[in-house]
Amino acid sequence: MQETRQNKISRLFQKELATIFQEQTRAMHGLMVSVTRTKVSPDLGICTAYLSVFPSEKGDELLENVRKNVKAIRYELGTRIHNQVRIIPELRFFIDDSLDYIEHIDELLKK
């Protein structure tokens, strides 16, 4: 039962965070951010989100900017989902480099 709730909340956070990032990066032409995966702790107090950034060279710069503005992002998330959860979780962000890893493996296989 608990795992089902975690999955539902995780999907909710992923959807809402993706919308937030889409709205915030709309003004930055040539930059695309997507939330590839979210994980929620069993007590629903911590949400770990993995971001995919295109172009990938700007990933570190964007991640640093996101971490500086994590309070504003959490507030925005809270205004969107305050009727659905009791606690707005602490947010942690990481770069999802799985696409870069797949690309690297493809290059090795081609050689």
PDB file of all heavy atoms in Angstrom, residues 68-86:
ATOM      1  N   LYS A  68      20.435  26.835  -6.450  1.00  0.00           N
ATOM      2  CA  LYS A  68      20.367  28.154  -5.801  1.00  0.00           C
ATOM      3  C   LYS A  68      18.922  28.591  -5.601  1.00  0.00           C
ATOM      4  O   LYS A  68      18.618  29.302  -4.651  1.00  0.00           O
ATOM      5  CB  LYS A  68      21.087  29.205  -6.653  1.00  0.00           C
ATOM      6  CG  LYS A  68      22.588  29.125  -6.588  1.00  0.00           C
ATOM      7  CD  LYS A  68      23.206  30.195  -7.451  1.00  0.00           C
ATOM      8  CE  LYS A  68      24.716  30.075  -7.482  1.00  0.00           C
ATOM      9  NZ  LYS A  68      25.320  31.051  -8.403  1.00  0.00           N
ATOM     10  N   ASN A  69      18.048  28.171  -6.502  1.00  0.00           N
ATOM     11  CA  ASN A  69      16.653  28.608  -6.468  1.00  0.00           C
ATOM     12  C   ASN A  69      15.706  27.512  -5.994  1.00  0.00           C
ATOM     13  O   ASN A  69      14.519  27.546  -6.316  1.00  0.00           O
ATOM     14  CB  ASN A  69      16.225  29.076  -7.861  1.00  0.00           C
ATOM     15  CG  ASN A  69      17.001  30.283  -8.301  1.00  0.00           C
ATOM     16  OD1 ASN A  69      17.085  31.262  -7.576  1.00  0.00           O
ATOM     17  ND2 ASN A  69      17.588  30.213  -9.481  1.00  0.00           N
ATOM     18  N   VAL A  70      16.214  26.552  -5.222  1.00  0.00           N
ATOM     19  CA  VAL A  70      15.392  25.423  -4.799  1.00  0.00           C
ATOM     20  C   VAL A  70      14.228  25.876  -3.915  1.00  0.00           C
ATOM     21  O   VAL A  70      13.138  25.292  -3.977  1.00  0.00           O
ATOM     22  CB  VAL A  70      16.252  24.332  -4.123  1.00  0.00           C
ATOM     23  CG1 VAL A  70      16.689  24.744  -2.736  1.00  0.00           C
ATOM     24  CG2 VAL A  70      15.523  23.009  -4.075  1.00  0.00           C
ATOM     25  N   LYS A  71      14.388  26.935  -3.136  1.00  0.00           N
ATOM     26  CA  LYS A  71      13.294  27.412  -2.286  1.00  0.00           C
ATOM     27  C   LYS A  71      12.142  27.959  -3.129  1.00  0.00           C
ATOM     28  O   LYS A  71      10.974  27.718  -2.826  1.00  0.00           O
ATOM     29  CB  LYS A  71      13.798  28.478  -1.315  1.00  0.00           C
ATOM     30  CG  LYS A  71      14.656  27.929  -0.214  1.00  0.00           C
ATOM     31  CD  LYS A  71      15.078  29.008   0.751  1.00  0.00           C
ATOM     32  CE  LYS A  71      15.982  28.424   1.822  1.00  0.00           C
ATOM     33  NZ  LYS A  71      16.407  29.440   2.786  1.00  0.00           N
ATOM     34  N   ALA A  72      12.468  28.686  -4.175  1.00  0.00           N
ATOM     35  CA  ALA A  72      11.429  29.229  -5.057  1.00  0.00           C
ATOM     36  C   ALA A  72      10.714  28.107  -5.810  1.00  0.00           C
ATOM     37  O   ALA A  72       9.488  28.159  -5.992  1.00  0.00           O
ATOM     38  CB  ALA A  72      12.036  30.221  -6.043  1.00  0.00           C
ATOM     39  N   ILE A  73      11.465  27.098  -6.221  1.00  0.00           N
ATOM     40  CA  ILE A  73      10.868  25.956  -6.920  1.00  0.00           C
ATOM     41  C   ILE A  73       9.951  25.187  -5.972  1.00  0.00           C
ATOM     42  O   ILE A  73       8.840  24.787  -6.348  1.00  0.00           O
ATOM     43  CB  ILE A  73      11.963  25.045  -7.504  1.00  0.00           C
ATOM     44  CG1 ILE A  73      12.753  25.795  -8.572  1.00  0.00           C
ATOM     45  CG2 ILE A  73      11.359  23.762  -8.072  1.00  0.00           C
ATOM     46  CD1 ILE A  73      14.028  25.105  -9.003  1.00  0.00           C
ATOM     47  N   ARG A  74      10.391  25.015  -4.744  1.00  0.00           N
ATOM     48  CA  ARG A  74       9.570  24.307  -3.746  1.00  0.00           C
ATOM     49  C   ARG A  74       8.295  25.096  -3.458  1.00  0.00           C
ATOM     50  O   ARG A  74       7.214  24.523  -3.328  1.00  0.00           O
ATOM     51  CB  ARG A  74      10.382  24.107  -2.474  1.00  0.00           C
ATOM     52  CG  ARG A  74       9.648  23.298  -1.435  1.00  0.00           C
ATOM     53  CD  ARG A  74      10.510  23.056  -0.226  1.00  0.00           C
ATOM     54  NE  ARG A  74       9.793  22.244   0.740  1.00  0.00           N
ATOM     55  CZ  ARG A  74      10.054  22.226   2.025  1.00  0.00           C
ATOM     56  NH1 ARG A  74      11.040  22.945   2.505  1.00  0.00           N
ATOM     57  NH2 ARG A  74       9.351  21.476   2.836  1.00  0.00           N
ATOM     58  N   TYR A  75       8.412  26.404  -3.365  1.00  0.00           N
ATOM     59  CA  TYR A  75       7.240  27.242  -3.137  1.00  0.00           C
ATOM     60  C   TYR A  75       6.254  27.110  -4.299  1.00  0.00           C
ATOM     61  O   TYR A  75       5.045  26.965  -4.090  1.00  0.00           O
ATOM     62  CB  TYR A  75       7.656  28.707  -2.946  1.00  0.00           C
ATOM     63  CG  TYR A  75       6.484  29.630  -2.787  1.00  0.00           C
ATOM     64  CD1 TYR A  75       5.821  29.728  -1.564  1.00  0.00           C
ATOM     65  CD2 TYR A  75       6.018  30.387  -3.851  1.00  0.00           C
ATOM     66  CE1 TYR A  75       4.725  30.559  -1.410  1.00  0.00           C
ATOM     67  CE2 TYR A  75       4.930  31.220  -3.714  1.00  0.00           C
ATOM     68  CZ  TYR A  75       4.282  31.300  -2.498  1.00  0.00           C
ATOM     69  OH  TYR A  75       3.190  32.123  -2.362  1.00  0.00           O
ATOM     70  N   GLU A  76       6.764  27.168  -5.518  1.00  0.00           N
ATOM     71  CA  GLU A  76       5.914  27.031  -6.707  1.00  0.00           C
ATOM     72  C   GLU A  76       5.233  25.659  -6.728  1.00  0.00           C
ATOM     73  O   GLU A  76       4.046  25.550  -7.030  1.00  0.00           O
ATOM     74  CB  GLU A  76       6.746  27.234  -7.975  1.00  0.00           C
ATOM     75  CG  GLU A  76       5.977  27.103  -9.256  1.00  0.00           C
ATOM     76  CD  GLU A  76       4.987  28.225  -9.493  1.00  0.00           C
ATOM     77  OE1 GLU A  76       5.191  29.330  -8.959  1.00  0.00           O
ATOM     78  OE2 GLU A  76       4.008  27.992 -10.222  1.00  0.00           O
ATOM     79  N   LEU A  77       5.988  24.620  -6.395  1.00  0.00           N
ATOM     80  CA  LEU A  77       5.412  23.276  -6.315  1.00  0.00           C
ATOM     81  C   LEU A  77       4.319  23.235  -5.247  1.00  0.00           C
ATOM     82  O   LEU A  77       3.257  22.644  -5.462  1.00  0.00           O
ATOM     83  CB  LEU A  77       6.507  22.253  -6.011  1.00  0.00           C
ATOM     84  CG  LEU A  77       6.064  20.793  -5.890  1.00  0.00           C
ATOM     85  CD1 LEU A  77       5.573  20.282  -7.233  1.00  0.00           C
ATOM     86  CD2 LEU A  77       7.219  19.939  -5.386  1.00  0.00           C
ATOM     87  N   GLY A  78       4.569  23.866  -4.127  1.00  0.00           N
ATOM     88  CA  GLY A  78       3.598  23.907  -3.042  1.00  0.00           C
ATOM     89  C   GLY A  78       2.299  24.587  -3.432  1.00  0.00           C
ATOM     90  O   GLY A  78       1.216  24.146  -3.032  1.00  0.00           O
ATOM     91  N   THR A  79       2.393  25.669  -4.199  1.00  0.00           N
ATOM     92  CA  THR A  79       1.173  26.363  -4.624  1.00  0.00           C
ATOM     93  C   THR A  79       0.352  25.510  -5.584  1.00  0.00           C
ATOM     94  O   THR A  79      -0.864  25.651  -5.648  1.00  0.00           O
ATOM     95  CB  THR A  79       1.490  27.714  -5.290  1.00  0.00           C
ATOM     96  OG1 THR A  79       2.330  27.500  -6.423  1.00  0.00           O
ATOM     97  CG2 THR A  79       2.142  28.664  -4.316  1.00  0.00           C
ATOM     98  N   ARG A  80       1.011  24.611  -6.302  1.00  0.00           N
ATOM     99  CA  ARG A  80       0.304  23.759  -7.259  1.00  0.00           C
ATOM    100  C   ARG A  80      -0.329  22.522  -6.616  1.00  0.00           C
ATOM    101  O   ARG A  80      -1.376  22.071  -7.069  1.00  0.00           O
ATOM    102  CB  ARG A  80       1.262  23.308  -8.363  1.00  0.00           C
ATOM    103  CG  ARG A  80       1.724  24.438  -9.243  1.00  0.00           C
ATOM    104  CD  ARG A  80       2.851  23.961 -10.139  1.00  0.00           C
ATOM    105  NE  ARG A  80       3.315  25.017 -10.989  1.00  0.00           N
ATOM    106  CZ  ARG A  80       2.929  25.177 -12.255  1.00  0.00           C
ATOM    107  NH1 ARG A  80       2.098  24.339 -12.798  1.00  0.00           N
ATOM    108  NH2 ARG A  80       3.390  26.175 -12.967  1.00  0.00           N
ATOM    109  N   ILE A  81       0.320  21.956  -5.603  1.00  0.00           N
ATOM    110  CA  ILE A  81      -0.142  20.668  -5.069  1.00  0.00           C
ATOM    111  C   ILE A  81      -0.566  20.722  -3.609  1.00  0.00           C
ATOM    112  O   ILE A  81      -0.732  19.690  -2.975  1.00  0.00           O
ATOM    113  CB  ILE A  81       0.933  19.580  -5.252  1.00  0.00           C
ATOM    114  CG1 ILE A  81       2.180  19.912  -4.454  1.00  0.00           C
ATOM    115  CG2 ILE A  81       1.254  19.359  -6.705  1.00  0.00           C
ATOM    116  CD1 ILE A  81       3.164  18.785  -4.354  1.00  0.00           C
ATOM    117  N   HIS A  82      -0.764  21.923  -3.052  1.00  0.00           N
ATOM    118  CA  HIS A  82      -1.059  22.022  -1.622  1.00  0.00           C
ATOM    119  C   HIS A  82      -2.345  21.315  -1.217  1.00  0.00           C
ATOM    120  O   HIS A  82      -2.511  20.953  -0.062  1.00  0.00           O
ATOM    121  CB  HIS A  82      -1.077  23.488  -1.185  1.00  0.00           C
ATOM    122  CG  HIS A  82      -2.234  24.264  -1.731  1.00  0.00           C
ATOM    123  ND1 HIS A  82      -2.207  24.817  -2.980  1.00  0.00           N
ATOM    124  CD2 HIS A  82      -3.439  24.559  -1.198  1.00  0.00           C
ATOM    125  CE1 HIS A  82      -3.351  25.441  -3.205  1.00  0.00           C
ATOM    126  NE2 HIS A  82      -4.129  25.297  -2.134  1.00  0.00           N
ATOM    127  N   ASN A  83      -3.273  21.099  -2.139  1.00  0.00           N
ATOM    128  CA  ASN A  83      -4.514  20.390  -1.809  1.00  0.00           C
ATOM    129  C   ASN A  83      -4.371  18.872  -1.887  1.00  0.00           C
ATOM    130  O   ASN A  83      -5.277  18.153  -1.484  1.00  0.00           O
ATOM    131  CB  ASN A  83      -5.638  20.824  -2.751  1.00  0.00           C
ATOM    132  CG  ASN A  83      -6.041  22.262  -2.524  1.00  0.00           C
ATOM    133  OD1 ASN A  83      -5.943  22.762  -1.411  1.00  0.00           O
ATOM    134  ND2 ASN A  83      -6.480  22.926  -3.576  1.00  0.00           N
ATOM    135  N   GLN A  84      -3.258  18.374  -2.402  1.00  0.00           N
ATOM    136  CA  GLN A  84      -3.115  16.942  -2.631  1.00  0.00           C
ATOM    137  C   GLN A  84      -2.170  16.254  -1.654  1.00  0.00           C
ATOM    138  O   GLN A  84      -2.237  15.046  -1.499  1.00  0.00           O
ATOM    139  CB  GLN A  84      -2.640  16.710  -4.072  1.00  0.00           C
ATOM    140  CG  GLN A  84      -3.659  17.214  -5.059  1.00  0.00           C
ATOM    141  CD  GLN A  84      -3.104  17.306  -6.462  1.00  0.00           C
ATOM    142  OE1 GLN A  84      -1.935  17.047  -6.690  1.00  0.00           O
ATOM    143  NE2 GLN A  84      -3.950  17.671  -7.398  1.00  0.00           N
ATOM    144  N   VAL A  85      -1.267  16.998  -1.034  1.00  0.00           N
ATOM    145  CA  VAL A  85      -0.337  16.413  -0.060  1.00  0.00           C
ATOM    146  C   VAL A  85      -0.284  17.308   1.177  1.00  0.00           C
ATOM    147  O   VAL A  85      -0.559  18.500   1.108  1.00  0.00           O
ATOM    148  CB  VAL A  85       1.097  16.253  -0.642  1.00  0.00           C
ATOM    149  CG1 VAL A  85       1.125  15.238  -1.760  1.00  0.00           C
ATOM    150  CG2 VAL A  85       1.659  17.570  -1.107  1.00  0.00           C
ATOM    151  N   ARG A  86       0.052  16.705   2.299  1.00  0.00           N
ATOM    152  CA  ARG A  86       0.158  17.473   3.539  1.00  0.00           C
ATOM    153  C   ARG A  86       1.474  18.223   3.631  1.00  0.00           C
ATOM    154  O   ARG A  86       1.535  19.352   4.080  1.00  0.00           O
ATOM    155  CB  ARG A  86       0.060  16.534   4.735  1.00  0.00           C
ATOM    156  CG  ARG A  86      -1.315  16.161   5.085  1.00  0.00           C
ATOM    157  CD  ARG A  86      -1.305  15.463   6.416  1.00  0.00           C
ATOM    158  NE  ARG A  86      -2.230  14.350   6.327  1.00  0.00           N
ATOM    159  CZ  ARG A  86      -2.223  13.326   7.109  1.00  0.00           C
ATOM    160  NH1 ARG A  86      -1.334  13.215   8.059  1.00  0.00           N
ATOM    161  NH2 ARG A  86      -3.111  12.368   6.973  1.00  0.00           N
TER     162      ARG A  86
END
